[in-house]
Amino acid sequence: MNVSPVPGLPEIREGDDLAALIAERADLDSADVVCVASTVVSKAEGRAHDLDAFPAGPRATEIADRLAEITGEEKDPRFAQAVLEESTDLLIEAPFLLTETRFGHVGVNAGIDRSNVPGSDILLLPERPDESARRLHASLGVPVVVTDTCGRPFRHGQRGVAIGRAGLPASHDWRGEHDRDGRELGVTVESIVDELAAAANLVLGEGGGGEPVAVVNGFELDGFEGSDELFRDVETDFVRQALREWSYARD
Ligand code: GDP
Ligand code: MN
Ligand code: MN
């Protein structure tokens, strides 16, 4: 398997035809998967905004004041307002904001970025990354994964995850296959889109590298049972349920 960045992409602006810009620079073949950083999908879709577009209501002001008090840093209530407007559920409100976005992804600050957004204050995630991926997939003719860099519980460090995909299953369902002892696998569902996103993110980097798209060549997408769910239901997500009982307390 080979993972390589697509060279020479410009700064992406609202209305840009991202698929055309990629197709002009990448000689895609049928064994490719295209991984695109959500940052450029968002820019093309006009998701960059100034904070003035999010006048803070009382809830956002309350959240920002508490975060400022806890962290000792200035917190703009308009940023908290943007996070609330992007979210359907607030899982953690201190010492940072963790929410569920409208499309089902759980992320810090609803995945809103302040880096790599020249000319605007903030960049929201794509409104429906699966649909963004479907449009790119329809134009490019190969599977597409839309990625974002996210933190994770239990472990230090951020890494790439898939927030949308088209043309490939979310997971390789190993259940019913056998291990080397002949024992039937009962639970393993391998999130191949997250693994592809993480591999792609390694070559994209996080800074000013200017490489928002990677092509994965030679990942075998045939010969296994796929499963399509990316986000857990709250009903079967016991870690998330436990958060309902938890609240941040300073000693
Ligand atoms: P995220 O992981 O989706 O939040 O995206 P990042 O901000 O980490 O950016 C991923 C990569 O894309 C980095 O190499 C950035 O320098 C690059 N990048 C971000 N925006 C643009 C853009 O508009 N044009 C180009 N050419 N590269 C960009
Ligand atoms: Mn991001
Ligand atoms: Mn990133």
Side-chain angles (χ1 to χ4, degrees), residues 169-234:
S171 304
H172 174 160
D173 189 346
W174 287 86
R175 290 174 298 180
E177 296 191 43
H178 295 87
D179 75 1
R180 290 163 63 80
D181 277 336
R183 191 190 302 263
E184 189 172 309
L185 299 175
V187 292
T188 308
V189 178
E190 180 188 9
S191 176
I192 57 173
V193 283
D194 275 349
E195 293 178 320
L196 290 167
N201 210 56
L202 273 175
V203 308
L204 303 186
E206 305 297 342
E211 294 182 324
V213 180
V215 177
V216 178
N217 179 263
F219 177 68
E220 191 57 66
L221 277 168
D222 294 326
F224 62 81
E225 203 58 46
S227 123
D228 226 30
E229 296 308 315
L230 196 50
F231 307 120
R232 273 188 198 277
D233 295 331
V234 186

Short mmCIF file of all heavy atoms in Angstrom, two decimals, residues 169-234:
data_model
loop_
_atom_site.label_atom_id
_atom_site.label_comp_id
_atom_site.label_asym_id
_atom_site.label_seq_id
_atom_site.Cartn_x
_atom_site.Cartn_y
_atom_site.Cartn_z
N PRO A 169 -17.05 0.73 2.38
CA PRO A 169 -17.71 0.54 3.68
C PRO A 169 -16.93 1.23 4.78
O PRO A 169 -15.73 1.46 4.64
CB PRO A 169 -17.69 -0.99 3.86
CG PRO A 169 -16.56 -1.47 3.02
CD PRO A 169 -16.42 -0.51 1.87
N ALA A 170 -17.61 1.55 5.87
CA ALA A 170 -16.92 2.16 7.01
C ALA A 170 -15.96 1.18 7.65
O ALA A 170 -14.87 1.54 8.10
CB ALA A 170 -17.94 2.66 8.04
N SER A 171 -16.37 -0.09 7.69
CA SER A 171 -15.60 -1.08 8.44
C SER A 171 -15.48 -2.40 7.70
O SER A 171 -16.28 -2.71 6.82
CB SER A 171 -16.28 -1.36 9.80
OG SER A 171 -16.46 -0.18 10.51
N HIS A 172 -14.47 -3.14 8.08
CA HIS A 172 -14.33 -4.54 7.70
C HIS A 172 -14.88 -5.36 8.86
O HIS A 172 -14.33 -5.34 9.96
CB HIS A 172 -12.85 -4.84 7.45
CG HIS A 172 -12.54 -6.29 7.18
ND1 HIS A 172 -11.38 -6.67 6.55
CD2 HIS A 172 -13.19 -7.44 7.47
CE1 HIS A 172 -11.33 -8.00 6.46
NE2 HIS A 172 -12.42 -8.48 7.01
N ASP A 173 -15.96 -6.04 8.59
CA ASP A 173 -16.61 -6.84 9.64
C ASP A 173 -15.97 -8.22 9.66
O ASP A 173 -16.21 -9.06 8.80
CB ASP A 173 -18.11 -6.92 9.35
CG ASP A 173 -18.86 -7.56 10.51
OD1 ASP A 173 -18.19 -8.16 11.38
OD2 ASP A 173 -20.10 -7.47 10.53
N TRP A 174 -15.14 -8.44 10.67
CA TRP A 174 -14.40 -9.72 10.77
C TRP A 174 -15.22 -10.80 11.45
O TRP A 174 -14.77 -11.94 11.57
CB TRP A 174 -13.11 -9.52 11.58
CG TRP A 174 -12.02 -8.77 10.87
CD1 TRP A 174 -11.85 -7.42 10.81
CD2 TRP A 174 -10.94 -9.33 10.11
NE1 TRP A 174 -10.73 -7.10 10.08
CE2 TRP A 174 -10.15 -8.26 9.64
CE3 TRP A 174 -10.55 -10.65 9.80
CZ2 TRP A 174 -9.02 -8.46 8.87
CZ3 TRP A 174 -9.41 -10.84 9.04
CH2 TRP A 174 -8.66 -9.75 8.58
N ARG A 175 -16.40 -10.43 11.97
CA ARG A 175 -17.18 -11.42 12.72
C ARG A 175 -17.54 -12.58 11.81
O ARG A 175 -17.97 -12.38 10.66
CB ARG A 175 -18.45 -10.78 13.29
CG ARG A 175 -18.14 -9.80 14.42
CD ARG A 175 -19.37 -9.06 14.86
NE ARG A 175 -19.91 -8.28 13.77
CZ ARG A 175 -21.00 -7.51 13.87
NH1 ARG A 175 -21.65 -7.45 15.01
NH2 ARG A 175 -21.42 -6.83 12.82
N GLY A 176 -17.36 -13.78 12.31
CA GLY A 176 -17.63 -14.97 11.50
C GLY A 176 -16.38 -15.47 10.78
O GLY A 176 -16.33 -16.62 10.35
N GLU A 177 -15.34 -14.61 10.66
CA GLU A 177 -14.07 -15.10 10.13
C GLU A 177 -13.32 -15.80 11.27
O GLU A 177 -13.74 -15.76 12.43
CB GLU A 177 -13.26 -13.94 9.53
CG GLU A 177 -13.99 -13.32 8.33
CD GLU A 177 -13.14 -12.35 7.53
OE1 GLU A 177 -11.96 -12.66 7.28
OE2 GLU A 177 -13.67 -11.29 7.14
N HIS A 178 -12.19 -16.44 10.94
CA HIS A 178 -11.52 -17.28 11.94
C HIS A 178 -10.10 -16.83 12.20
O HIS A 178 -9.43 -16.31 11.31
CB HIS A 178 -11.54 -18.74 11.48
CG HIS A 178 -12.94 -19.29 11.42
ND1 HIS A 178 -13.73 -19.15 10.31
CD2 HIS A 178 -13.70 -19.91 12.36
CE1 HIS A 178 -14.92 -19.68 10.55
NE2 HIS A 178 -14.93 -20.15 11.78
N ASP A 179 -9.65 -17.01 13.43
CA ASP A 179 -8.25 -16.70 13.76
C ASP A 179 -7.38 -17.90 13.41
O ASP A 179 -7.84 -18.88 12.83
CB ASP A 179 -8.11 -16.25 15.23
CG ASP A 179 -8.23 -17.42 16.21
OD1 ASP A 179 -8.39 -18.58 15.76
OD2 ASP A 179 -8.16 -17.17 17.43
N ARG A 180 -6.11 -17.86 13.81
CA ARG A 180 -5.18 -18.90 13.39
C ARG A 180 -5.43 -20.23 14.09
O ARG A 180 -4.92 -21.26 13.68
CB ARG A 180 -3.74 -18.41 13.64
CG ARG A 180 -3.37 -17.30 12.68
CD ARG A 180 -2.15 -16.53 13.14
NE ARG A 180 -0.94 -17.34 13.19
CZ ARG A 180 -0.19 -17.65 12.13
NH1 ARG A 180 -0.56 -17.23 10.94
NH2 ARG A 180 0.89 -18.37 12.26
N ASP A 181 -6.23 -20.19 15.16
CA ASP A 181 -6.62 -21.42 15.86
C ASP A 181 -7.92 -21.99 15.35
O ASP A 181 -8.42 -22.98 15.88
CB ASP A 181 -6.85 -21.11 17.36
CG ASP A 181 -5.56 -21.12 18.12
OD1 ASP A 181 -4.60 -21.77 17.65
OD2 ASP A 181 -5.51 -20.47 19.18
N GLY A 182 -8.53 -21.29 14.40
CA GLY A 182 -9.84 -21.73 13.93
C GLY A 182 -10.98 -21.21 14.78
O GLY A 182 -12.14 -21.58 14.60
N ARG A 183 -10.64 -20.35 15.74
CA ARG A 183 -11.68 -19.79 16.61
C ARG A 183 -12.43 -18.69 15.85
O ARG A 183 -11.82 -17.84 15.21
CB ARG A 183 -11.01 -19.20 17.84
CG ARG A 183 -11.97 -18.79 18.96
CD ARG A 183 -11.20 -18.01 20.01
NE ARG A 183 -10.10 -18.77 20.57
CZ ARG A 183 -10.15 -19.45 21.72
NH1 ARG A 183 -11.26 -19.45 22.43
NH2 ARG A 183 -9.12 -20.11 22.16
N GLU A 184 -13.76 -18.74 15.95
CA GLU A 184 -14.55 -17.75 15.21
C GLU A 184 -14.50 -16.40 15.92
O GLU A 184 -14.67 -16.30 17.13
CB GLU A 184 -16.01 -18.23 15.11
CG GLU A 184 -16.82 -17.36 14.18
CD GLU A 184 -18.23 -17.94 13.92
OE1 GLU A 184 -18.32 -19.13 13.57
OE2 GLU A 184 -19.19 -17.17 14.10
N LEU A 185 -14.24 -15.34 15.13
CA LEU A 185 -14.20 -14.00 15.70
C LEU A 185 -15.62 -13.52 15.99
O LEU A 185 -16.50 -13.63 15.14
CB LEU A 185 -13.50 -13.04 14.74
CG LEU A 185 -12.05 -13.39 14.41
CD1 LEU A 185 -11.50 -12.45 13.34
CD2 LEU A 185 -11.18 -13.33 15.65
N GLY A 186 -15.82 -13.00 17.19
CA GLY A 186 -17.17 -12.65 17.61
C GLY A 186 -17.46 -11.17 17.66
O GLY A 186 -18.62 -10.77 17.62
N VAL A 187 -16.41 -10.34 17.77
CA VAL A 187 -16.69 -8.91 17.97
C VAL A 187 -15.93 -7.95 17.06
O VAL A 187 -16.28 -6.77 17.00
CB VAL A 187 -16.39 -8.47 19.44
CG1 VAL A 187 -17.36 -9.11 20.41
CG2 VAL A 187 -14.96 -8.76 19.82
N THR A 188 -14.92 -8.44 16.35
CA THR A 188 -14.02 -7.49 15.69
C THR A 188 -14.63 -6.87 14.44
O THR A 188 -14.92 -7.55 13.46
CB THR A 188 -12.68 -8.18 15.31
OG1 THR A 188 -12.17 -8.81 16.48
CG2 THR A 188 -11.68 -7.16 14.80
N VAL A 189 -14.84 -5.57 14.52
CA VAL A 189 -15.27 -4.78 13.36
C VAL A 189 -14.22 -3.67 13.21
O VAL A 189 -14.14 -2.77 14.03
CB VAL A 189 -16.68 -4.18 13.57
CG1 VAL A 189 -17.07 -3.33 12.37
CG2 VAL A 189 -17.70 -5.31 13.78
N GLU A 190 -13.40 -3.80 12.17
CA GLU A 190 -12.23 -2.93 12.02
C GLU A 190 -12.61 -1.69 11.21
O GLU A 190 -13.07 -1.78 10.07
CB GLU A 190 -11.14 -3.73 11.27
CG GLU A 190 -9.87 -2.96 11.04
CD GLU A 190 -8.91 -3.73 10.11
OE1 GLU A 190 -9.32 -4.76 9.54
OE2 GLU A 190 -7.77 -3.28 9.97
N SER A 191 -12.41 -0.53 11.82
CA SER A 191 -12.82 0.70 11.14
C SER A 191 -11.80 1.08 10.07
O SER A 191 -10.89 1.87 10.30
CB SER A 191 -12.95 1.84 12.15
OG SER A 191 -13.27 3.02 11.44
N ILE A 192 -11.98 0.54 8.87
CA ILE A 192 -10.98 0.80 7.82
C ILE A 192 -10.96 2.26 7.39
O ILE A 192 -9.91 2.78 7.05
CB ILE A 192 -11.18 -0.13 6.59
CG1 ILE A 192 -12.58 0.00 6.01
CG2 ILE A 192 -10.87 -1.56 6.96
CD1 ILE A 192 -12.76 -0.77 4.72
N VAL A 193 -12.09 2.96 7.45
CA VAL A 193 -12.03 4.37 7.04
C VAL A 193 -11.22 5.21 8.02
O VAL A 193 -10.51 6.14 7.61
CB VAL A 193 -13.43 5.01 6.82
CG1 VAL A 193 -14.03 4.56 5.50
CG2 VAL A 193 -14.36 4.77 7.98
N ASP A 194 -11.28 4.88 9.32
CA ASP A 194 -10.44 5.61 10.27
C ASP A 194 -8.97 5.27 10.04
O ASP A 194 -8.09 6.12 10.17
CB ASP A 194 -10.82 5.25 11.72
CG ASP A 194 -11.98 6.09 12.24
OD1 ASP A 194 -12.36 7.07 11.56
OD2 ASP A 194 -12.51 5.76 13.31
N GLU A 195 -8.69 4.02 9.73
CA GLU A 195 -7.29 3.63 9.51
C GLU A 195 -6.73 4.27 8.24
O GLU A 195 -5.58 4.73 8.21
CB GLU A 195 -7.19 2.10 9.46
CG GLU A 195 -7.50 1.51 10.83
CD GLU A 195 -7.45 0.00 10.86
OE1 GLU A 195 -7.92 -0.65 9.91
OE2 GLU A 195 -6.96 -0.54 11.86
N LEU A 196 -7.56 4.36 7.20
CA LEU A 196 -7.13 5.06 5.99
C LEU A 196 -6.93 6.55 6.29
O LEU A 196 -5.96 7.17 5.82
CB LEU A 196 -8.17 4.88 4.87
CG LEU A 196 -8.24 3.47 4.28
CD1 LEU A 196 -9.51 3.31 3.43
CD2 LEU A 196 -7.00 3.16 3.45
N ALA A 197 -7.84 7.12 7.08
CA ALA A 197 -7.73 8.54 7.44
C ALA A 197 -6.45 8.80 8.22
O ALA A 197 -5.75 9.80 8.01
CB ALA A 197 -8.95 9.00 8.25
N ALA A 198 -6.13 7.89 9.15
CA ALA A 198 -4.92 8.06 9.95
C ALA A 198 -3.67 7.96 9.06
O ALA A 198 -2.74 8.76 9.20
CB ALA A 198 -4.87 7.02 11.07
N ALA A 199 -3.67 7.01 8.14
CA ALA A 199 -2.53 6.87 7.23
C ALA A 199 -2.39 8.13 6.37
O ALA A 199 -1.29 8.68 6.20
CB ALA A 199 -2.72 5.64 6.34
N ALA A 200 -3.51 8.62 5.86
CA ALA A 200 -3.47 9.83 5.03
C ALA A 200 -2.98 11.02 5.84
O ALA A 200 -2.15 11.81 5.38
CB ALA A 200 -4.87 10.11 4.45
N ASN A 201 -3.48 11.14 7.07
CA ASN A 201 -3.12 12.28 7.91
C ASN A 201 -1.61 12.35 8.16
O ASN A 201 -1.06 13.43 8.32
CB ASN A 201 -3.88 12.17 9.24
CG ASN A 201 -4.18 13.53 9.84
OD1 ASN A 201 -4.79 14.37 9.19
ND2 ASN A 201 -3.75 13.75 11.07
N LEU A 202 -0.96 11.16 8.16
CA LEU A 202 0.49 11.14 8.33
C LEU A 202 1.20 11.93 7.24
O LEU A 202 2.21 12.58 7.49
CB LEU A 202 1.00 9.69 8.28
CG LEU A 202 1.01 8.89 9.56
CD1 LEU A 202 1.43 7.46 9.25
CD2 LEU A 202 1.95 9.52 10.57
N VAL A 203 0.69 11.86 6.02
CA VAL A 203 1.36 12.59 4.95
C VAL A 203 0.82 14.01 4.81
O VAL A 203 1.50 14.87 4.25
CB VAL A 203 1.34 11.84 3.59
CG1 VAL A 203 1.86 10.43 3.73
CG2 VAL A 203 -0.02 11.87 2.95
N LEU A 204 -0.38 14.29 5.31
CA LEU A 204 -0.93 15.66 5.21
C LEU A 204 -0.26 16.60 6.20
O LEU A 204 -0.03 17.77 5.88
CB LEU A 204 -2.44 15.67 5.46
CG LEU A 204 -3.31 14.78 4.57
CD1 LEU A 204 -4.78 15.04 4.85
CD2 LEU A 204 -2.99 15.00 3.10
N GLY A 205 0.01 16.12 7.39
CA GLY A 205 0.54 17.00 8.43
C GLY A 205 -0.52 17.95 8.93
O GLY A 205 -1.67 17.92 8.48
N GLU A 206 -0.12 18.80 9.88
CA GLU A 206 -1.09 19.67 10.55
C GLU A 206 -0.79 21.15 10.35
O GLU A 206 -1.58 22.00 10.74
CB GLU A 206 -1.09 19.39 12.06
CG GLU A 206 -1.33 17.95 12.44
CD GLU A 206 -2.70 17.46 12.02
OE1 GLU A 206 -3.59 18.27 11.75
OE2 GLU A 206 -2.85 16.22 11.95
N GLY A 207 0.34 21.45 9.81
CA GLY A 207 0.76 22.86 9.78
C GLY A 207 0.54 23.50 8.43
O GLY A 207 -0.51 23.37 7.81
N GLY A 208 1.58 24.19 7.97
CA GLY A 208 1.46 24.96 6.73
C GLY A 208 1.91 24.18 5.50
O GLY A 208 2.17 24.77 4.46
N GLY A 209 1.99 22.87 5.61
CA GLY A 209 2.52 22.04 4.52
C GLY A 209 1.78 22.17 3.20
O GLY A 209 2.35 21.95 2.12
N GLY A 210 0.51 22.54 3.26
CA GLY A 210 -0.24 22.79 2.02
C GLY A 210 -0.59 21.53 1.26
O GLY A 210 -0.74 21.57 0.03
N GLU A 211 -0.70 20.41 1.98
CA GLU A 211 -1.07 19.16 1.30
C GLU A 211 -2.33 18.59 1.96
O GLU A 211 -2.26 17.79 2.89
CB GLU A 211 0.10 18.18 1.36
CG GLU A 211 1.27 18.70 0.55
CD GLU A 211 2.47 17.76 0.52
OE1 GLU A 211 2.75 17.11 1.54
OE2 GLU A 211 3.12 17.70 -0.54
N PRO A 212 -3.51 18.98 1.45
CA PRO A 212 -4.76 18.59 2.09
C PRO A 212 -5.37 17.30 1.54
O PRO A 212 -6.42 16.87 2.03
CB PRO A 212 -5.68 19.78 1.82
CG PRO A 212 -5.19 20.31 0.50
CD PRO A 212 -3.72 20.04 0.44
N VAL A 213 -4.74 16.70 0.54
CA VAL A 213 -5.33 15.51 -0.09
C VAL A 213 -4.26 14.44 -0.25
O VAL A 213 -3.14 14.75 -0.69
CB VAL A 213 -5.93 15.84 -1.47
CG1 VAL A 213 -6.54 14.60 -2.11
CG2 VAL A 213 -6.97 16.96 -1.37
N ALA A 214 -4.60 13.21 0.12
CA ALA A 214 -3.67 12.09 -0.08
C ALA A 214 -4.38 10.98 -0.85
O ALA A 214 -5.58 10.77 -0.69
CB ALA A 214 -3.15 11.57 1.25
N VAL A 215 -3.61 10.30 -1.67
CA VAL A 215 -4.13 9.15 -2.40
C VAL A 215 -3.52 7.89 -1.81
O VAL A 215 -2.30 7.79 -1.68
CB VAL A 215 -3.77 9.24 -3.90
CG1 VAL A 215 -4.25 8.00 -4.64
CG2 VAL A 215 -4.37 10.50 -4.51
N VAL A 216 -4.41 6.99 -1.40
CA VAL A 216 -3.97 5.68 -0.92
C VAL A 216 -4.12 4.71 -2.08
O VAL A 216 -5.23 4.54 -2.60
CB VAL A 216 -4.82 5.20 0.28
CG1 VAL A 216 -4.37 3.81 0.73
CG2 VAL A 216 -4.74 6.19 1.44
N ASN A 217 -3.01 4.12 -2.47
CA ASN A 217 -3.08 3.17 -3.59
C ASN A 217 -2.79 1.76 -3.09
O ASN A 217 -1.87 1.56 -2.30
CB ASN A 217 -2.05 3.54 -4.67
CG ASN A 217 -2.09 2.56 -5.83
OD1 ASN A 217 -1.30 1.62 -5.89
ND2 ASN A 217 -3.06 2.75 -6.71
N GLY A 218 -3.62 0.80 -3.56
CA GLY A 218 -3.32 -0.60 -3.28
C GLY A 218 -3.95 -1.15 -2.02
O GLY A 218 -3.60 -2.24 -1.59
N PHE A 219 -4.90 -0.40 -1.43
CA PHE A 219 -5.62 -0.99 -0.31
C PHE A 219 -6.77 -1.83 -0.86
O PHE A 219 -7.62 -1.33 -1.61
CB PHE A 219 -6.16 0.09 0.64
CG PHE A 219 -6.97 -0.48 1.77
CD1 PHE A 219 -6.37 -1.24 2.76
CD2 PHE A 219 -8.35 -0.31 1.82
CE1 PHE A 219 -7.11 -1.81 3.78
CE2 PHE A 219 -9.10 -0.87 2.85
CZ PHE A 219 -8.48 -1.62 3.83
N GLU A 220 -6.78 -3.10 -0.49
CA GLU A 220 -7.73 -4.07 -1.06
C GLU A 220 -9.12 -3.88 -0.45
O GLU A 220 -9.31 -4.07 0.75
CB GLU A 220 -7.21 -5.48 -0.77
CG GLU A 220 -7.92 -6.58 -1.51
CD GLU A 220 -7.91 -6.40 -3.03
OE1 GLU A 220 -6.81 -6.48 -3.63
OE2 GLU A 220 -9.01 -6.16 -3.59
N LEU A 221 -10.07 -3.48 -1.29
CA LEU A 221 -11.43 -3.23 -0.78
C LEU A 221 -12.40 -4.36 -1.09
O LEU A 221 -13.57 -4.29 -0.72
CB LEU A 221 -11.98 -1.94 -1.39
CG LEU A 221 -11.53 -0.66 -0.68
CD1 LEU A 221 -11.88 0.57 -1.50
CD2 LEU A 221 -12.14 -0.58 0.71
N ASP A 222 -11.90 -5.40 -1.76
CA ASP A 222 -12.79 -6.52 -2.06
C ASP A 222 -12.48 -7.69 -1.12
O ASP A 222 -11.48 -7.71 -0.44
CB ASP A 222 -12.56 -6.99 -3.51
CG ASP A 222 -12.99 -5.93 -4.49
OD1 ASP A 222 -13.96 -5.20 -4.18
OD2 ASP A 222 -12.34 -5.80 -5.54
N GLY A 223 -13.40 -8.66 -1.12
CA GLY A 223 -13.11 -9.91 -0.43
C GLY A 223 -13.38 -9.89 1.05
O GLY A 223 -12.91 -10.75 1.79
N PHE A 224 -14.12 -8.88 1.53
CA PHE A 224 -14.54 -8.94 2.93
C PHE A 224 -15.93 -8.34 3.07
O PHE A 224 -16.42 -7.63 2.21
CB PHE A 224 -13.54 -8.24 3.85
CG PHE A 224 -13.36 -6.76 3.59
CD1 PHE A 224 -14.27 -5.84 4.10
CD2 PHE A 224 -12.29 -6.30 2.83
CE1 PHE A 224 -14.10 -4.48 3.87
CE2 PHE A 224 -12.12 -4.95 2.60
CZ PHE A 224 -13.03 -4.03 3.11
N GLU A 225 -16.52 -8.69 4.19
CA GLU A 225 -17.86 -8.21 4.51
C GLU A 225 -17.74 -6.78 5.07
O GLU A 225 -16.97 -6.53 5.99
CB GLU A 225 -18.45 -9.15 5.57
CG GLU A 225 -19.95 -9.20 5.66
CD GLU A 225 -20.62 -9.60 4.35
OE1 GLU A 225 -20.16 -10.59 3.71
OE2 GLU A 225 -21.58 -8.91 3.99
N GLY A 226 -18.46 -5.86 4.49
CA GLY A 226 -18.41 -4.49 4.99
C GLY A 226 -19.50 -4.20 6.00
O GLY A 226 -20.50 -4.90 6.06
N SER A 227 -19.26 -3.20 6.81
CA SER A 227 -20.34 -2.73 7.67
C SER A 227 -20.31 -1.21 7.62
O SER A 227 -19.25 -0.62 7.43
CB SER A 227 -20.16 -3.30 9.08
OG SER A 227 -20.09 -2.28 10.03
N ASP A 228 -21.46 -0.59 7.73
CA ASP A 228 -21.54 0.80 7.29
C ASP A 228 -21.60 1.83 8.40
O ASP A 228 -21.51 3.02 8.13
CB ASP A 228 -22.74 0.97 6.36
CG ASP A 228 -22.30 1.78 5.14
OD1 ASP A 228 -21.12 1.67 4.78
OD2 ASP A 228 -23.13 2.52 4.61
N GLU A 229 -21.75 1.41 9.63
CA GLU A 229 -21.94 2.40 10.70
C GLU A 229 -20.61 3.00 11.13
O GLU A 229 -19.64 2.29 11.36
CB GLU A 229 -22.63 1.76 11.91
CG GLU A 229 -24.04 1.25 11.62
CD GLU A 229 -24.93 2.31 10.99
OE1 GLU A 229 -24.91 3.47 11.47
OE2 GLU A 229 -25.62 1.98 10.01
N LEU A 230 -20.60 4.30 11.27
CA LEU A 230 -19.39 5.00 11.71
C LEU A 230 -19.54 5.47 13.15
O LEU A 230 -18.61 5.37 13.95
CB LEU A 230 -19.15 6.19 10.78
CG LEU A 230 -17.79 6.86 10.76
CD1 LEU A 230 -16.67 5.87 10.59
CD2 LEU A 230 -17.76 7.90 9.63
N PHE A 231 -20.70 5.97 13.50
CA PHE A 231 -20.91 6.55 14.83
C PHE A 231 -21.79 5.63 15.67
O PHE A 231 -22.81 5.14 15.19
CB PHE A 231 -21.57 7.93 14.71
CG PHE A 231 -20.82 8.86 13.79
CD1 PHE A 231 -21.43 9.40 12.67
CD2 PHE A 231 -19.50 9.18 14.06
CE1 PHE A 231 -20.73 10.25 11.82
CE2 PHE A 231 -18.79 10.04 13.22
CZ PHE A 231 -19.42 10.57 12.10
N ARG A 232 -21.41 5.43 16.90
CA ARG A 232 -22.21 4.60 17.81
C ARG A 232 -23.53 5.27 18.14
O ARG A 232 -23.60 6.48 18.27
CB ARG A 232 -21.47 4.42 19.15
CG ARG A 232 -20.50 3.29 19.19
CD ARG A 232 -20.00 3.13 20.62
NE ARG A 232 -18.79 2.35 20.66
CZ ARG A 232 -18.75 1.02 20.63
NH1 ARG A 232 -19.87 0.32 20.59
NH2 ARG A 232 -17.60 0.39 20.64
N ASP A 233 -24.57 4.45 18.36
CA ASP A 233 -25.81 4.95 18.94
C ASP A 233 -25.58 5.21 20.42
O ASP A 233 -24.86 4.46 21.07
CB ASP A 233 -26.94 3.90 18.84
CG ASP A 233 -27.30 3.62 17.41
OD1 ASP A 233 -27.16 4.53 16.57
OD2 ASP A 233 -27.72 2.47 17.12
N VAL A 234 -26.25 6.24 20.93
CA VAL A 234 -26.10 6.55 22.35
C VAL A 234 -26.49 5.33 23.20
O VAL A 234 -25.87 5.04 24.22
CB VAL A 234 -26.99 7.75 22.75
CG1 VAL A 234 -26.73 8.15 24.19
CG2 VAL A 234 -26.73 8.92 21.83
#
